[in-house]
PDB file of all heavy atoms in Angstrom:
ATOM      1  N   SER D 382      64.854  33.079 152.652  1.00  0.00           N
ATOM      2  CA  SER D 382      64.506  33.302 151.256  1.00  0.00           C
ATOM      3  C   SER D 382      64.703  32.033 150.445  1.00  0.00           C
ATOM      4  O   SER D 382      64.971  30.971 151.010  1.00  0.00           O
ATOM      5  CB  SER D 382      65.366  34.442 150.706  1.00  0.00           C
ATOM      6  OG  SER D 382      64.977  34.728 149.390  1.00  0.00           O
ATOM      7  N   ILE D 383      64.599  32.197 149.137  1.00  0.00           N
ATOM      8  CA  ILE D 383      64.697  31.055 148.225  1.00  0.00           C
ATOM      9  C   ILE D 383      65.985  31.172 147.413  1.00  0.00           C
ATOM     10  O   ILE D 383      66.224  32.200 146.778  1.00  0.00           O
ATOM     11  CB  ILE D 383      63.477  31.004 147.287  1.00  0.00           C
ATOM     12  CG1 ILE D 383      62.210  30.729 148.110  1.00  0.00           C
ATOM     13  CG2 ILE D 383      63.669  29.964 146.180  1.00  0.00           C
ATOM     14  CD1 ILE D 383      60.919  30.755 147.307  1.00  0.00           C
ATOM     15  N   ALA D 384      66.789  30.128 147.429  1.00  0.00           N
ATOM     16  CA  ALA D 384      68.044  30.121 146.669  1.00  0.00           C
ATOM     17  C   ALA D 384      67.837  29.513 145.294  1.00  0.00           C
ATOM     18  O   ALA D 384      68.566  29.807 144.356  1.00  0.00           O
ATOM     19  CB  ALA D 384      69.109  29.336 147.406  1.00  0.00           C
ATOM     20  N   LYS D 385      66.821  28.673 145.200  1.00  0.00           N
ATOM     21  CA  LYS D 385      66.559  28.031 143.917  1.00  0.00           C
ATOM     22  C   LYS D 385      65.170  27.432 143.950  1.00  0.00           C
ATOM     23  O   LYS D 385      64.719  26.950 144.988  1.00  0.00           O
ATOM     24  CB  LYS D 385      67.603  26.929 143.666  1.00  0.00           C
ATOM     25  CG  LYS D 385      67.362  26.182 142.365  1.00  0.00           C
ATOM     26  CD  LYS D 385      68.485  25.196 142.042  1.00  0.00           C
ATOM     27  CE  LYS D 385      68.068  24.428 140.787  1.00  0.00           C
ATOM     28  NZ  LYS D 385      69.095  24.208 139.829  1.00  0.00           N
ATOM     29  N   VAL D 386      64.519  27.461 142.813  1.00  0.00           N
ATOM     30  CA  VAL D 386      63.243  26.765 142.689  1.00  0.00           C
ATOM     31  C   VAL D 386      63.518  25.446 141.995  1.00  0.00           C
ATOM     32  O   VAL D 386      64.137  25.424 140.930  1.00  0.00           O
ATOM     33  CB  VAL D 386      62.224  27.607 141.901  1.00  0.00           C
ATOM     34  CG1 VAL D 386      60.935  26.816 141.689  1.00  0.00           C
ATOM     35  CG2 VAL D 386      61.936  28.908 142.643  1.00  0.00           C
ATOM     36  N   LEU D 387      63.101  24.372 142.597  1.00  0.00           N
ATOM     37  CA  LEU D 387      63.355  23.049 142.031  1.00  0.00           C
ATOM     38  C   LEU D 387      62.224  22.670 141.080  1.00  0.00           C
ATOM     39  O   LEU D 387      61.077  23.091 141.250  1.00  0.00           O
ATOM     40  CB  LEU D 387      63.476  22.022 143.158  1.00  0.00           C
ATOM     41  CG  LEU D 387      64.447  22.445 144.276  1.00  0.00           C
ATOM     42  CD1 LEU D 387      64.352  21.512 145.474  1.00  0.00           C
ATOM     43  CD2 LEU D 387      65.874  22.487 143.738  1.00  0.00           C
ATOM     44  N   GLY D 388      62.566  21.877 140.102  1.00  0.00           N
ATOM     45  CA  GLY D 388      61.570  21.501 139.097  1.00  0.00           C
ATOM     46  C   GLY D 388      61.743  22.371 137.871  1.00  0.00           C
ATOM     47  O   GLY D 388      62.297  23.477 137.953  1.00  0.00           O
ATOM     48  N   SER D 389      61.308  21.853 136.701  1.00  0.00           N
ATOM     49  CA  SER D 389      61.502  22.681 135.503  1.00  0.00           C
ATOM     50  C   SER D 389      60.186  23.155 134.927  1.00  0.00           C
ATOM     51  O   SER D 389      59.969  24.348 134.760  1.00  0.00           O
ATOM     52  CB  SER D 389      62.325  21.931 134.467  1.00  0.00           C
ATOM     53  OG  SER D 389      61.616  20.804 134.009  1.00  0.00           O
ATOM     54  N   LYS D 390      59.271  22.190 134.618  1.00  0.00           N
ATOM     55  CA  LYS D 390      58.011  22.663 134.059  1.00  0.00           C
ATOM     56  C   LYS D 390      56.956  22.855 135.136  1.00  0.00           C
ATOM     57  O   LYS D 390      55.813  23.194 134.851  1.00  0.00           O
ATOM     58  CB  LYS D 390      57.507  21.690 133.002  1.00  0.00           C
ATOM     59  CG  LYS D 390      58.330  21.821 131.736  1.00  0.00           C
ATOM     60  CD  LYS D 390      57.943  20.823 130.700  1.00  0.00           C
ATOM     61  CE  LYS D 390      59.030  20.752 129.654  1.00  0.00           C
ATOM     62  NZ  LYS D 390      59.153  19.419 129.097  1.00  0.00           N
ATOM     63  N   GLN D 391      57.346  22.607 136.340  1.00  0.00           N
ATOM     64  CA  GLN D 391      56.400  22.767 137.454  1.00  0.00           C
ATOM     65  C   GLN D 391      57.251  22.791 138.717  1.00  0.00           C
ATOM     66  O   GLN D 391      58.234  22.039 138.826  1.00  0.00           O
ATOM     67  CB  GLN D 391      55.423  21.588 137.450  1.00  0.00           C
ATOM     68  CG  GLN D 391      54.732  21.301 138.764  1.00  0.00           C
ATOM     69  CD  GLN D 391      53.458  22.122 138.902  1.00  0.00           C
ATOM     70  OE1 GLN D 391      52.574  22.009 138.081  1.00  0.00           O
ATOM     71  NE2 GLN D 391      53.382  22.946 139.939  1.00  0.00           N
ATOM     72  N   VAL D 392      56.886  23.634 139.652  1.00  0.00           N
ATOM     73  CA  VAL D 392      57.645  23.717 140.899  1.00  0.00           C
ATOM     74  C   VAL D 392      57.592  22.370 141.612  1.00  0.00           C
ATOM     75  O   VAL D 392      56.521  21.752 141.721  1.00  0.00           O
ATOM     76  CB  VAL D 392      57.037  24.792 141.823  1.00  0.00           C
ATOM     77  CG1 VAL D 392      57.730  24.791 143.168  1.00  0.00           C
ATOM     78  CG2 VAL D 392      57.121  26.159 141.171  1.00  0.00           C
ATOM     79  N   LYS D 393      58.784  21.911 142.076  1.00  0.00           N
ATOM     80  CA  LYS D 393      58.791  20.673 142.857  1.00  0.00           C
ATOM     81  C   LYS D 393      59.220  20.936 144.284  1.00  0.00           C
ATOM     82  O   LYS D 393      59.040  20.096 145.160  1.00  0.00           O
ATOM     83  CB  LYS D 393      59.755  19.666 142.220  1.00  0.00           C
ATOM     84  CG  LYS D 393      59.327  19.215 140.831  1.00  0.00           C
ATOM     85  CD  LYS D 393      59.443  17.700 140.707  1.00  0.00           C
ATOM     86  CE  LYS D 393      58.767  17.157 139.471  1.00  0.00           C
ATOM     87  NZ  LYS D 393      59.479  17.493 138.237  1.00  0.00           N
ATOM     88  N   GLY D 394      59.798  22.095 144.473  1.00  0.00           N
ATOM     89  CA  GLY D 394      60.265  22.424 145.814  1.00  0.00           C
ATOM     90  C   GLY D 394      61.123  23.661 145.747  1.00  0.00           C
ATOM     91  O   GLY D 394      61.312  24.239 144.673  1.00  0.00           O
ATOM     92  N   ILE D 395      61.617  24.072 146.910  1.00  0.00           N
ATOM     93  CA  ILE D 395      62.518  25.211 146.910  1.00  0.00           C
ATOM     94  C   ILE D 395      63.730  24.883 147.773  1.00  0.00           C
ATOM     95  O   ILE D 395      63.669  24.037 148.660  1.00  0.00           O
ATOM     96  CB  ILE D 395      61.849  26.483 147.453  1.00  0.00           C
ATOM     97  CG1 ILE D 395      61.350  26.277 148.901  1.00  0.00           C
ATOM     98  CG2 ILE D 395      60.685  26.917 146.578  1.00  0.00           C
ATOM     99  CD1 ILE D 395      62.029  27.148 149.898  1.00  0.00           C
ATOM    100  N   ALA D 396      64.825  25.566 147.457  1.00  0.00           N
ATOM    101  CA  ALA D 396      66.002  25.468 148.316  1.00  0.00           C
ATOM    102  C   ALA D 396      66.012  26.706 149.198  1.00  0.00           C
ATOM    103  O   ALA D 396      65.952  27.824 148.704  1.00  0.00           O
ATOM    104  CB  ALA D 396      67.257  25.394 147.465  1.00  0.00           C
TER     105      ALA D 396
END
Side-chain angles (χ1 to χ4, degrees):
Chain D
S382 184
I383 295 176
K385 178 174 175 138
V386 176
L387 310 170
S389 65
K390 286 176 196 147
Q391 158 87 59
V392 174
K393 295 226 168 71
I395 59 116

